[in-house]
Amino acid sequence: MARITVKGVSEIRGPIIVIEGVSGIRMGEYLEVKLPNKPTRKGRVLAIEEERVIILLYQGTYEVEKDDIETEFFGRTMQLFVAEDMIGRVFNSLGEPLDGLPSIYSDEYRDINGSPINPTSRIYPRDYIETGISSIDLMNTLVRGQKLPIFTGAGLPNNRLIGQIVKQARIAETEDKEKFAIVFGAMGLTMDDYIYFQRLFEETGTLNKVVMFVNLASDSPAERLITPRVALTTAEYLAFDKDYHVLAILSDITNYCQALRAISVALETVPSRKGYPGYMYSDLASIYERAGIIEDSQGSITLIANLTMPNDDITHPIPDLTGYITEGQIILDRSLHYRGIYPPIDVLGSLSRLMKDGIGEGYTRKDHPSLSNQLYASYAEGLDKRRLAEVIGKKELNRRDQILHEFADIFEEDYVNQGDNYRTIEESLNLGWSLLSHLPETELTKVSTDLILEYIPNKGADSV
Amino acid sequence: MTNSDEERARIVTIKGSTVEVRGLSSYRMGEITYVGEEKLIGEIIEIERNLATVQVYEPLEGLKINDPIYLTGKSISAELGPGLLSNIFDGIQRPLEQIKKTSSSSFIQKGIHINALNRDKKWLFEPNKKLTKGHLVKGGDVLGSVQETQTIKCNIIAPPKTNGELLSIQEKGEFQITDPIVELKGSDKSKKELTLMHEWPVRIARPFLKKIPVHEPLITGQRIIDMFFPIAKGGTAAIPGGFGTGKTILQHQLSKWSDADIVVYIGCGERGNEMTDVLREFPKLVDPHTQNPLMNRTLLIANVSNMPVAAREASIYMGITMAEFYRDQGFNVLLTADSTSRWAEALREIAGQLEEMPVEEGYPAYLGARLADFYERAGQVVTLGSPYREGSINITAAVSPPGGDFSEPVTANTKRFVKTFWGLDSNLANRKHFPSINWLYSYSGYINIIEEWALESGLEDWGRYRQEMFTILQKDDELQHIAELIGSKALPADEQLIILVADIIKEGFLQQNAYDKIDSFCPLEKQMKMMKLMLLFNNRAEILIKNGCPISLIIGLKSVQILKRMKEDVPNDNIVQMNKMEDYIHTEMEELGSKYGYRV
């Protein structure tokens, strides 16, 4: 398509510039702004009002001169060149190399906005992924092709948990090990966190399997809006065109949303809750929904995202809208963390929506569904009793309540608190049963008598 | 509409999901337009002098100023006729399977135009024998029928505004959906042909003869609904709940097991994988009422969350119009919408683009009015036309309040228009108590009607059982507050018994496992029997306690476990086993009594 070049701008406001008196510009078009003696900046057409073209500049407008710049419109949306060679490389949000190696040249390019997957073309995810972490594997099972955010708070060890998942998760276990890749989208990460991830990939020997797109906290917020999109475009290419099992890691969604809010304010959009734009749900959906499995490929995209809850508030619009789109969430709990429990996963608040079809006979083990239900229910009741004990004192509890209270303690200390150890699913399941053996049989209402007989033989014997 | 109009008309503004057009000369609100060279589908939603605003149902990337715009003269309409059932559509009624075949892509591209109904397929049409030449045919009259799926025989009805004298009607035979089957002579002597299908503008409710009071329950097989908070056929219910409280699973359960004839399932801003789950699972499931695959009576609308926002706004109207079409044939239709909050948010998003003045939380002022319009399209009606038919539409709509806060505008406004409220409780969900319908703040406005129905249907005890169980649960709630302060050990025995029985009810009756083969659907007969046994236990235990029996002996009874587990342990049709359990409870209580010398 023909490129159009225009000189000068008529308005500059935050990251937005407005160009007037130009025709033939397309909605969403990609453009480059040439500044004298400075690097070229890139942007996107956000809206067109008659003669006025409203543009977002990804690197901001600082030092943009009103009359002395030249804008070149490309006649197409922003595209990313994609290739298998990207694996092992580091790029910025625009797909430019940051590792000193040459740019990617390829015959293949993709629109970074992607298109919705036709629901009739999706394959329902049901192959569970063993992460070696009991609170996830047994209680909130991760499934290949799932999108699962980690709701965390400032100062909680969410990155350590992601590190463990990267290290241990058997994403491509059953198939060709070579066909595994990690796509990492760093959105507004601090340098410390970025270095952590870099070292993590080095230490785990996955560096040659990672494609990184980096937007640091000090980089432009406008550019942050495209980081997850280039990352997922790459993930889609690797998974759906090249049959890779891709683990996409986005960190941190909260930084992304704050950038989204900043840009929407600059555009004078009517705000909804806490100043975030009304379209934030749709916008987040256009990111998360790109995970999954489709019919005509062997690959998959499993998406894990860090999301720092502002003030640990799960009702804040960012975690709230996310929870309505993703297939569950892993929540980290501050009080568990302070008690030295790692990983501090809030088992009750966490949820995996795809768990039901990925576990049980033929998947993990036949006792898995009812065992996890029983652990859930007894732990929940145990926590109630703990609250009660806080009021009336532990001694005042009746025998049953005391047993449940103790169960909750053991569950957290022995089960959730596994440190960096790896537990196979068998080990997690067996440990679950040994916890249940602390409870009287009358409490085991969610597991069938047959299962009790099989897994806690002593207990089963005296009940019949 | 002329060519010269279109030549003058041009796009002047492009923003969000709307464009502004100048230079159209003859157009109206709601008119469907094709936008740009790719002919994206749009609808006129605002007119200001010579400027028309069009909301576009597809992404706008690539459009430019001065691109052409084409008027169609039509309002956004649904195609109605055989072939809708077992199908899955997007928010503007494009069949997703066909989109996949046509585009040979797993992704949905722009600018795809596909008819909702398959034009090539032939249907075996059986004419209505009563229609002969000269007969006056009016809107809603049954012209004949077509076996649409194994389960559903679709009545071919004359479109609502029909009025004319029958000139000819086709013999029994195979026809495509656009073939004329009836020829009429209008009052102005003009000839008119009717086909197996017709179109209807979705934003206008289809007419009926009159609304009549609802009079029977929708049996859902979900105990807490059928027994505690029932919904009538033709009734409305809202299911508000934060994320993870089980809205979607409850909607799936209702769609699977309700004794409606037709189910319209609208996934409005849903997760893609959840729609795939429905597509994968429903064809395998058997309708407990007809023993046929559930998909035979189901039609799905999938507007997944990353599809364009304007199509999400339209999906609700598409769904209700298709529901009305089956209602008009004389069916009871269940419409489940998941979630209406996403639809309200689409309204908000579009209102924001139009720079309308926001009221609460950015929602437009007409939010309540739109919700009212939608819920008022439910109901039990006498349809137009002959023969006499009654049909109904149930609406059960999920609401997703931000942060689980029920005072937010969508939940609050919805409460004004629905009669049944199944409030989902995240505390219950956290402890895996599903369905997480909270029994203390949920309600049903159909209790009286259903009590009457129960009396006539041999379920005389329904009202009494319900009340007794309710009383126990309410007392339990009060006692729990006290127990939280002093511990349940300190309560007197009769109050501890209430806590025990409430526990049995919660675990053995209110909780229902959607994934359990037996428990997923619980027939009315078994529900009644379960209530009976639990209340029997309560009654006997009360007597024992009164006579001085310590509560610990009662807690330890095997009957407690039996009552908690009979939902999954006893096959649904095995009444014999239920009776044996009744005997066992009697015996065990009597033994306890005689052993310790208490009178039972």
Side-chain angles (χ1 to χ4, degrees):
Chain A
M1 270 177 217
R3 297 188 182 185
I4 297 170
T5 307
V6 189
K7 222 170 153 59
V9 296
S10 59
E11 282 174 43
I12 304 173
R13 161 166 38 97
I16 309 287
I17 61 170
V18 177
I19 295 181
E20 284 181 19
V22 51
S23 63
I25 305 303
R26 289 170 187 276
M27 178 70 168
E29 192 169 328
Y30 172 72
L31 55 95
E32 290 181 359
V33 172
K34 292 189 180 68
L35 305 162
N37 310 320
K38 289 197 191 74
T40 299
R41 297 188 192 182
K42 297 168 180 181
R44 173 172 194 251
V45 175
L46 287 185
I48 314 174
E49 292 169 356
E50 309 241 7
E51 305 287 272
R52 285 160 45 88
V53 180
I54 297 155
I55 292 163
L56 173 68
L57 283 191
Y58 293 129
Q59 291 92 349
T61 55
Y62 190 62
E63 293 196 317
V64 169
E65 283 173 45
K66 188 169 176 298
D67 300 320
D68 206 17
I69 70 163
E70 217 174 71
T71 307
E72 185 178 9
F73 295 90
F74 278 59
R76 54 162 176 83
T77 52
M78 183 170 164
Q79 287 161 345
L80 181 73
F81 284 98
V82 285
E84 280 183 272
D85 298 349
M86 293 171 88
I87 300 174
R89 300 285 310 271
V90 184
F91 304 94
N92 69 8
S93 305
L94 303 164
E96 299 161 341
L98 292 178
D99 50 8
L101 296 169
S103 299
I104 295 290
Y105 286 102
S106 167
D107 301 337
E108 302 260 11
Y109 53 85
R110 298 279 183 276
D111 179 340
I112 61 158
N113 294 307
S115 298
I117 299 176
N118 189 326
T120 61
S121 303
R122 277 187 187 267
I123 291 178
Y124 188 72
R126 53 187 316 180
D127 296 331
Y128 94 102
I129 296 173
E130 187 174 303
T131 65
I133 301 163
S134 300
S135 315
I136 296 178
D137 289 353
L138 191 65
M139 307 300 286
N140 297 289
T141 317
L142 177 65
V143 176
R144 191 187 290 158
Q146 184 169 16
K147 39 190 180 287
L148 197 65
I150 297 173
F151 287 4
T152 179
L156 295 180
N158 52 310
N159 285 341
R160 184 170 160 201
L161 180 63
I162 288 192
Q164 219 176 336
I165 293 174
V166 167
K167 229 178 285 178
Q168 302 177 346
R170 301 187 174 170
I171 306 245
E173 188 198 26
T174 51
E175 271 116 283
D176 183 2
K177 272 223 155 94
E178 293 306 304
K179 285 284 188 184
F180 168 63
I182 297 173
V183 174
F184 181 67
M187 304 181 290
L189 274 199
T190 59
M191 200 58 191
D192 283 353
D193 284 342
Y194 175 58
I195 291 171
Y196 170 86
F197 278 107
Q198 238 180 351
R199 282 184 39 199
L200 170 75
F201 296 135
E202 275 167 27
E203 283 164 12
T204 53
T206 41
L207 202 55
N208 61 348
K209 300 210 175 290
V210 185
V211 192
M212 276 195 260
F213 293 94
V214 181
N215 169 276
L216 295 178
S218 51
D219 290 338
S220 137
E223 216 176 288
R224 202 164 298 154
L225 298 185
I226 47 176
T227 320
R229 296 190 163 81
V230 290
L232 288 163
T233 302
T234 311
E236 279 177 358
Y237 171 75
L238 293 174
F240 303 147
D241 290 1
K242 297 291 168 193
D243 298 333
Y244 279 79
H245 288 296
V246 178
L247 173 66
I249 303 172
L250 298 178
S251 182
D252 184 309
I253 294 289
T254 305
N255 297 339
Y256 171 84
C257 290
Q258 275 164 1
L260 190 72
R261 175 170 67 177
I263 304 302
S264 80
V265 168
L267 284 170
E268 296 172 4
T269 318
V270 179
S272 63
R273 278 200 306 151
K274 298 208 171 175
Y276 289 94
Y279 54 78
M280 192 158 83
Y281 172 83
S282 307
D283 191 278
L284 285 173
S286 75
I287 296 171
Y288 294 126
E289 273 290 325
R290 291 173 81 169
I293 311 175
I294 61 172
E295 280 171 353
D296 31 343
S297 101
Q298 302 297 314
S300 63
I301 301 177
T302 309
L303 174 64
I304 291 188
N306 257 332
L307 189 157
T308 305
M309 297 182 281
N311 276 325
D312 293 356
D313 175 12
I314 197 171
T315 67
H316 185 281
I318 300 171
D320 192 51
L321 292 177
T322 295
Y324 283 118
I325 305 166
T326 53
E327 285 134 0
Q329 65 279 335
I330 302 289
I331 303 178
L332 301 190
D333 182 72
R334 195 169 294 279
S335 69
L336 287 177
H337 177 59
Y338 286 163
R339 280 164 43 210
I341 289 171
Y342 177 83
I345 294 176
D346 169 9
V347 170
L348 295 188
S350 301
L351 169 74
S352 164
R353 290 170 185 273
L354 300 182
M355 172 174 175
K356 65 180 167 80
D357 291 308
I359 63 170
E361 189 131 42
Y363 292 91
T364 51
R365 209 168 77 180
K366 68 168 191 262
D367 53 322
H368 189 164
S370 32
L371 173 63
S372 63
N373 266 340
Q374 183 65 58
L375 288 169
Y376 251 116
S378 302
Y379 177 50
E381 215 171 340
L383 290 184
D384 281 351
K385 302 311 171 197
R386 185 188 288 166
R387 273 190 291 274
L388 180 58
E390 279 163 14
V391 181
I392 61 170
K394 203 171 170 182
K395 278 187 197 149
E396 288 302 308
L397 295 179
N398 63 30
R399 185 76 199 111
R400 171 175 184 266
D401 291 359
Q402 278 179 11
I403 293 174
L404 284 165
H405 184 303
E406 278 156 24
F407 177 80
D409 294 346
I410 302 173
F411 183 81
E412 286 170 359
E413 278 150 29
D414 293 357
Y415 201 70
V416 178
N417 186 23
Q418 74 177 91
D420 289 316
N421 300 324
Y422 189 97
R423 285 191 199 140
T424 65
I425 186 75
E426 287 273 321
E427 285 167 344
S428 290
L429 286 162
N430 294 342
L431 189 57
W433 282 108
S434 85
L435 286 187
L436 284 187
S437 67
H438 292 273
L439 294 173
E441 203 234 342
T442 46
E443 291 300 322
L444 306 182
T445 51
K446 310 240 174 218
V447 284
S448 70
T449 319
D450 291 349
L451 286 179
I452 297 177
L453 276 172
E454 191 171 341
Y455 293 101
I456 330 179
N458 302 338
K459 183 138 301 199
D462 54 53
S463 79
V464 178
Chain B
M1 183 184 73
T2 64
N3 275 335
S4 62
D5 267 348
E6 285 170 7
E7 277 159 26
R8 278 204 312 275
R10 58 188 191 93
I11 295 175
V12 296
T13 298
I14 310 167
K15 198 176 175 185
S17 62
T18 59
V19 298
E20 282 176 356
V21 183
R22 181 167 291 155
L24 288 171
S25 62
S26 162
Y27 53 98
R28 58 186 163 83
M29 276 295 270
E31 184 160 353
I32 288 294
T33 58
Y34 294 140
V35 178
E37 285 143 5
E38 290 179 293
K39 297 202 168 181
L40 308 178
I41 303 166
E43 179 185 7
I44 297 179
I45 55 166
E46 196 173 86
I47 297 172
E48 197 183 329
R49 294 172 191 266
N50 59 350
L51 206 59
T53 305
V54 178
Q55 83 174 18
V56 185
Y57 296 121
E58 298 181 73
L60 295 181
E61 270 86 16
L63 275 186
K64 52 185 196 301
I65 299 297
N66 289 336
D67 269 359
I69 187 137
Y70 310 91
L71 289 170
T72 62
K74 286 202 287 194
S75 302
I76 177 168
S77 300
E79 289 191 356
L80 303 170
L84 292 176
L85 294 178
S86 320
N87 234 323
I88 176 164
F89 301 98
D90 76 355
I92 49 174
Q93 215 198 12
R94 295 182 302 184
L96 288 170
E97 288 282 357
Q98 289 304 319
I99 289 184
K100 179 164 77 176
K101 277 183 203 141
T102 313
S103 66
S104 55
S105 164
S106 296
F107 298 88
I108 298 176
Q109 318 287 351
K110 286 195 292 183
I112 298 175
H113 293 249
I114 299 178
N115 293 317
L117 294 172
N118 185 338
R119 296 294 192 269
D120 300 329
K121 183 168 168 123
K122 290 201 160 180
W123 299 92
L124 183 64
F125 170 71
E126 283 186 65
N128 178 356
K129 294 270 160 49
K130 289 189 181 135
L131 291 184
T132 49
K133 193 165 186 286
H135 203 106
L136 191 64
V137 177
K138 293 206 157 177
D141 284 354
V142 174
L143 308 173
S145 63
V146 157
Q147 193 71 40
E148 185 173 357
T149 64
Q150 217 179 336
T151 336
I152 299 297
K153 197 167 198 176
C154 168
N155 278 324
I156 304 301
I157 50 176
K161 288 168 187 163
T162 310
N163 191 1
E165 192 185 316
L166 187 84
L167 291 178
S168 67
I169 181 165
Q170 294 285 0
E171 298 286 313
K172 180 172 176 175
E174 294 210 318
F175 297 95
Q176 285 169 343
I177 205 146
T178 48
D179 290 337
I181 49 156
V182 162
E183 206 180 24
L184 299 177
K185 187 171 73 182
S187 51
D188 56 351
K189 306 284 181 225
S190 67
K191 277 193 186 173
K192 194 173 185 312
E193 285 171 344
L194 301 181
T195 61
L196 292 178
M197 64 160 281
H198 64 273
E199 290 185 40
W200 187 261
V202 297
R203 295 191 195 277
I204 299 173
R206 282 172 65 90
F208 44 80
L209 189 66
K210 61 174 180 188
K211 272 206 179 173
I212 52 175
V214 296
H215 50 74
E216 60 176 320
L218 181 81
I219 308 296
T220 65
Q222 309 305 302
R223 288 185 293 268
I224 186 163
I225 293 177
D226 289 346
M227 292 293 135
F228 278 41
F229 307 108
I231 179 170
K233 286 204 172 89
T236 50
I239 312 173
F243 62 82
T245 51
K247 287 184 300 295
T248 301
I249 290 169
L250 184 57
Q251 293 276 42
H252 286 191
Q253 288 295 91
L254 293 171
S255 315
K256 284 175 191 169
W257 309 127
S258 293
D259 68 338
D261 304 314
I262 305 285
V263 173
V264 177
Y265 187 97
I266 310 175
C268 180
E270 265 257 29
R271 299 175 181 87
N273 278 330
E274 274 173 359
M275 291 316 297
T276 310
D277 189 21
V278 174
L279 281 175
R280 181 185 66 101
E281 197 184 0
F282 274 39
K284 286 188 237 159
L285 292 172
V286 173
D287 181 350
H289 311 283
T290 62
Q291 311 305 325
N292 279 310
L294 275 177
M295 208 58 197
N296 285 348
R297 62 162 198 185
T298 308
L299 78 88
L300 303 168
I301 297 178
N303 173 275
V304 298
S305 52
N306 60 340
M307 286 180 178
V309 64
R312 195 186 310 156
E313 193 269 336
S315 64
I316 289 279
Y317 296 102
M318 275 298 164
I320 191 85
T321 304
M322 292 195 262
E324 285 173 340
F325 170 63
Y326 284 97
R327 174 202 68 190
D328 291 348
Q329 296 174 39
F331 290 116
N332 295 316
V333 184
L334 169 68
L335 178 135
T336 57
D338 186 13
S339 137
T340 50
S341 293
R342 302 293 158 240
W343 171 62
E345 280 164 14
L347 286 182
R348 174 170 72 182
E349 214 171 308
I350 295 159
Q353 287 164 13
L354 299 179
E355 292 172 8
E356 288 174 5
M357 177 73 82
V359 288
E360 275 174 287
E361 301 207 11
Y363 286 103
Y366 47 77
L367 173 68
R370 292 281 173 91
L371 283 168
D373 282 348
F374 171 60
Y375 286 107
E376 280 303 292
R377 288 172 82 167
Q380 175 104 27
V381 305
V382 176
T383 67
L384 291 179
S386 67
Y388 177 89
R389 303 182 299 279
E390 285 180 15
S392 70
I393 296 178
N394 272 101
I395 296 180
T396 60
V399 184
S400 320
D405 166 20
F406 288 1
S407 67
E408 60 92 36
V410 182
T411 317
N413 274 303
T414 301
K415 262 183 142 170
R416 291 164 54 205
F417 309 116
V418 298
K419 284 195 89 169
T420 302
F421 187 81
W422 298 321
L424 304 188
D425 182 345
S426 54
N427 287 327
L428 292 176
N430 277 348
R431 60 187 59 201
K432 295 284 180 264
H433 176 121
F434 287 115
S436 67
I437 298 175
N438 182 302
W439 50 92
L440 295 170
Y441 55 69
S442 297
Y443 56 81
S444 164
Y446 304 106
I447 300 294
N448 294 341
I449 295 159
I450 288 165
E451 195 146 19
E452 267 172 45
W453 172 87
L455 284 177
E456 289 162 15
S457 316
L459 304 172
E460 305 78 15
D461 296 323
W462 177 75
R464 187 168 58 84
Y465 287 174
R466 177 179 185 276
Q467 197 50 54
E468 279 180 34
M469 273 195 162
F470 232 166
T471 312
I472 293 170
L473 287 171
Q474 255 151 0
K475 277 194 197 149
D476 169 68
D477 182 57
E478 289 162 21
L479 292 174
Q480 292 289 355
H481 289 303
I482 301 170
E484 266 169 36
L485 294 175
I486 60 167
S488 57
K489 206 166 67 170
L491 292 174
D494 59 335
E495 293 188 340
Q496 287 193 50
L497 176 67
I498 290 173
I499 292 183
L500 172 71
V501 176
D503 187 50
I504 293 175
I505 296 174
K506 285 181 219 169
E507 203 160 313
F509 192 82
L510 299 180
Q511 288 187 30
Q512 192 165 352
N513 186 350
Y515 305 131
D516 187 87
K517 264 194 204 113
I518 294 175
D519 202 25
S520 188
F521 170 80
C522 187
L524 274 193
E525 218 179 358
K526 184 174 171 188
Q527 297 187 29
M528 291 290 290
K529 193 82 188 175
M530 287 171 76
M531 285 173 113
K532 188 181 169 195
L533 296 192
M534 288 176 185
L535 292 169
L536 168 81
F537 174 86
N538 180 50
N539 174 275
R540 294 297 132 122
E542 268 177 353
I543 299 174
L544 281 171
I545 296 268
K546 244 182 225 158
N547 289 301
C549 174
I551 183 80
S552 57
L553 292 178
I554 294 172
I555 291 175
L557 289 177
K558 184 95 180 154
S559 297
V560 175
Q561 301 310 315
I562 288 180
L563 288 170
K564 282 185 178 177
R565 286 190 188 164
M566 63 186 164
K567 56 180 182 178
E568 288 173 6
D569 286 352
V570 186
N572 284 334
D573 47 2
N574 198 337
I575 291 301
V576 180
Q577 200 179 334
M578 292 292 276
N579 288 338
K580 272 190 199 155
M581 286 184 169
E582 186 171 352
D583 293 342
Y584 183 87
I585 294 168
H586 268 294
T587 321
E588 200 181 28
M589 299 292 241
E590 266 160 33
E591 267 174 24
L592 182 65
S594 59
K595 197 164 160 193
Y596 293 91
Y598 307 123
R599 204 164 46 80
V600 183

